[in-house]
Amino acid sequence: EVQLVESGGGLVQPGGSLRLSCAASGFTFSSAAMKWVRQAPGKGFEWVSTINSGRGSTTYADSVKGRFTISRDNAKNTLYLQMNSLKPEDTARYYCAIIGRSPSGQGTQVTVSS
């Protein structure tokens, strides 16, 4: 059974940083392309970033490009999202997911507010 457990969210002031983690199990993580998506209150899911397997090439939504960095540690079966220069509009619940699948975890809440 695929399990994805997100953590690392919290309350941070504008301009601050957070690092999200996603612990994966139940599938061959190193072979899976992964993504982060987010959902703000009252809105649908918004794609944030993708990292491929293998060489780990990455892509980002324009709204986070230059501020967020996705990475993975295949030895630890863990996906990360380093978020810098956070803005109030980054406030959302963040989820990791396998490419081609909907999020299945509980997500982790990120709130950016002064």
Side-chain angles (χ1 to χ4, degrees):
E1 178 188 0
V2 170
Q3 283 199 322
L4 298 167
V5 180
E6 302 92 344
S7 62
L11 173 63
V12 63
Q13 292 186 341
S17 299
L18 285 173
R19 188 175 85 151
L20 306 184
S21 298
C22 168
S25 62
F27 64 102
T28 306
F29 177 75
S30 60
S31 299
M34 301 292 297
K35 64 183 177 182
W36 285 98
V37 298
R38 65 188 181 184
Q39 186 173 34
K43 296 188 177 182
F45 285 111
E46 175 191 12
W47 169 73
V48 174
S49 182
T50 294
I51 185 167
N52 289 332
S53 60
R55 292 188 177 183
S57 59
T58 58
T59 53
Y60 298 92
D62 287 343
S63 58
V64 307
K65 198 173 295 182
R67 301 187 298 120
F68 290 11
T69 303
I70 190 172
S71 62
R72 65 192 300 160
D73 186 336
N74 290 335
K76 295 182 178 181
N77 285 357
T78 302
L79 180 72
Y80 300 101
L81 185 68
Q82 177 67 44
M83 306 187 296
N84 299 328
S85 302
L86 283 161
K87 304 175 181 180
E89 51 263 43
D90 295 318
T91 295
R93 195 157 193 88
Y94 285 71
Y95 300 85
C96 62
I98 302 170
I99 291 295
R101 299 192 186 190
S102 298
S104 58
Q106 297 297 310
T108 186
Q109 178 67 37
V110 172
T111 302
V112 185
S113 175
S114 54

